[in-house]
Amino acid sequence: MATDAFGRRIDYLRISITDRCNLRCVYCMPQEGVSWKPYDEILTFEEIERFAVVAAQEGISRIRLTGGEPLVRKGVIDHVRRLCDVTGLERIALTTNATLLSQCAKDLRDAGLSRVNVSLDSLDSEVYSRVTRGGRLADVLAGIEAAFEVGFDPVKLNVVVVRSLGQDLMQFARMTFERPLHVRFIEYMPIGGGAEGSVASGGSCGMDAEGFHWTRDDYVPSSEILESLATNGAAEGLGELMPVARDEAPGGWGPARYYRFPKALGTIGVISPRSHHFCGECNRLRLTADGKLRACLFSDEEADMREVLRHGSPEDIRALIMQALSTKPESHSMRVGTVRQMSQIGG
Ligand code: SAM
Ligand code: SF4
């Protein structure tokens, strides 16, 4: 089992299978001028699978596919099927904006995918369309419906909370009474914008021509999210929002802390990379679509795997994975901005 220099067991890998996306969420990607990596710079599925075989031998047991939007890449279903056959991999999961999920949920399930995280920041179709710059809420709701129908378990929602978007968080909390859905509120992170420029500009993470910037004012700490849900939930008669024990939490160990209203079928989680960072428990590596292995979301230090995946031996791949692991920092430094955007890292 691979451990890093600080004794953390590393068993989880996020793989971004594409940098492309059919949406343009304001906090993730600029509206215009995104330059996609040329196809020959993107890992083929075969190269990703070579990586996965060696990573599994080194103790990776769980993989999450992400992007960009993973479902826009042709061949993803067969890729899932082949990953499910890799010895040592126990679970393959997906993070998706779910706009295309209703069309392929059954095939993904049949291919062996077991769990799905859907990103959805508002249940108001106008706000949703504004946040995603053109996404249709109805498509996502159909995707969630299909996820339950075909039996993904668990189904989680990822909601990035951004103050100026004015999201109604109680609408999400009410959904946990309708079905066993696990809604996770994520603190808005200052990713992208170009690390040096953004640090130098005093904490503003420049994003796009329309002037959407990460600012401290838009950041809502988890403590505030929980307090507002607890207060509003009690006022609506939903009861007291109580912590869920770690061993009962959906998906077990992970960065979220979970809570539940007494009669709810699902849970409410918070993920607090800024206010409560979970570096001491971090168990993950990230592989970008162009083959860079990142040991920390917030660190721009990367190992370039592409050449060894194309021309090297399994031993070369293994050595580079170990080298990347040795650079995993003990904790992130709360920096503002990274050279890559979130869509290029995969969340
Ligand atoms: N396109 C897929 C989706 O949206 O689920 C997968 C890729 S997306 C980059 C992965 C996750 O990162 C999503 O849940 C998204 O909301 C989250 N994300 C993107 N930018 C973020 C930011 N600045 N702060 C916090 N989460 C962010
Ligand atoms: Fe696309 Fe996901 Fe980024 Fe939204 S968060 S722009 S859906 S990659």
Side-chain angles (χ1 to χ4, degrees):
M1 180 67 72
T3 50
D4 70 2
F6 303 97
R8 290 171 297 197
R9 204 175 83 172
I10 307 302
D11 59 3
Y12 176 58
L13 171 69
R14 295 178 72 95
I15 303 178
S16 171
I17 62 169
T18 177
D19 60 342
R20 295 169 193 234
C21 188
N22 55 348
L23 299 179
R24 295 286 182 280
C25 301
V26 289
Y27 50 70
C28 179
M29 261 194 209
Q31 176 156 34
E32 308 276 350
V34 193
S35 51
W36 310 125
K37 297 270 174 197
Y39 282 114
D40 62 344
E41 290 185 20
I42 297 293
L43 295 183
T44 63
F45 282 137
E46 205 185 355
E47 288 159 358
I48 295 175
E49 289 152 23
R50 285 191 80 199
F51 183 90
V53 167
V54 178
Q57 289 163 357
E58 292 308 313
I60 294 292
S61 58
R62 293 176 292 138
I63 285 184
R64 178 167 293 279
L65 301 182
T66 173
E69 174 46 41
L71 298 184
V72 301
R73 184 157 176 186
K74 277 206 195 93
V76 61
I77 291 163
D78 289 333
H79 180 52
V80 166
R81 186 173 296 114
R82 288 189 299 267
L83 286 177
C84 288
D85 283 342
V86 171
T87 307
L89 293 183
E90 290 161 16
R91 279 190 212 153
I92 309 296
L94 176 80
T95 296
T96 172
N97 64 32
T99 51
L100 304 171
L101 187 59
S102 66
Q103 299 155 36
C104 57
K106 173 137 192 352
D107 291 341
L108 285 166
R109 186 77 188 98
D110 291 347
L113 190 83
S114 52
R115 352 178 110 220
V116 177
N117 288 6
V118 170
S119 303
L120 174 62
D121 300 322
S122 176
L123 290 166
D124 176 308
S125 54
E126 266 177 42
V127 176
Y128 179 75
S129 169
R130 191 153 42 83
V131 176
T132 55
R133 301 199 184 92
R136 283 172 16 112
L137 178 65
D139 296 339
V140 185
L141 297 179
I144 295 171
E145 204 58 48
F148 277 104
E149 255 165 42
V150 304
F152 288 125
D153 184 20
V155 179
K156 299 180 185 171
L157 282 195
N158 287 350
V159 184
V160 179
V161 182
V162 180
R163 199 180 300 281
S164 61
L165 295 180
Q167 294 143 296
D168 179 351
L169 304 190
M170 281 310 291
Q171 283 186 312
F172 289 107
R174 283 181 217 114
M175 285 174 93
T176 66
F177 285 79
E178 290 158 19
R179 50 190 6 162
L181 181 69
H182 305 288
V183 179
R184 292 118 50 89
F185 295 105
I186 304 177
E187 287 180 353
Y188 180 27
M189 291 183 258
I191 298 286
E196 284 173 22
S198 46
V199 171
S201 65
S204 154
C205 190
M207 280 288 179
D208 67 12
E210 288 172 9
F212 195 88
H213 294 271
W214 187 93
T215 66
R216 286 181 207 288
D217 291 345
D218 263 336
Y219 157 71
V220 185
S222 297
S223 54
E224 185 180 328
I225 296 169
L226 283 172
E227 206 177 296
S228 128
L229 291 167
T231 308
N232 291 321
E236 281 188 23
L238 303 183
E240 190 180 351
L241 188 61
M242 297 293 287
V244 173
R246 270 285 194 189
D247 54 358
E248 286 172 38
W253 201 254
R257 289 170 292 141
Y258 287 98
Y259 299 78
R260 187 198 296 275
F261 285 109
K263 292 197 177 129
L265 304 172
T267 62
I268 289 174
V270 284
I271 301 183
S272 326
R274 279 186 74 79
S275 67
H276 225 91
H277 60 90
F278 30 80
C279 303
E281 294 159 18
C282 184
N283 60 351
R284 57 192 59 191
L285 291 174
R286 291 175 165 84
L287 183 66
T288 66
D290 58 346
K292 306 291 192 297
L293 188 60
R294 286 175 80 98
C296 173
L297 174 61
F298 285 90
S299 166
D300 283 315
E301 199 158 335
E302 297 176 334
D304 190 348
M305 302 295 310
R306 198 169 59 214
E307 278 313 297
V308 293
L309 288 171
R310 289 194 175 165
H311 307 295
S313 67
E315 277 319 310
D316 297 332
I317 299 169
R318 193 179 327 276
L320 209 44
I321 293 177
M322 289 313 180
Q323 187 189 315
L325 208 59
S326 72
T327 68
K328 190 167 171 70
E330 186 171 15
S331 73
H332 64 71
S333 48
M334 285 298 177
R335 63 190 288 183
V336 172
T338 48
V339 169
R340 284 176 187 265
Q341 287 163 8
M342 192 66 116
S343 58
Q344 295 172 321
I345 304 173

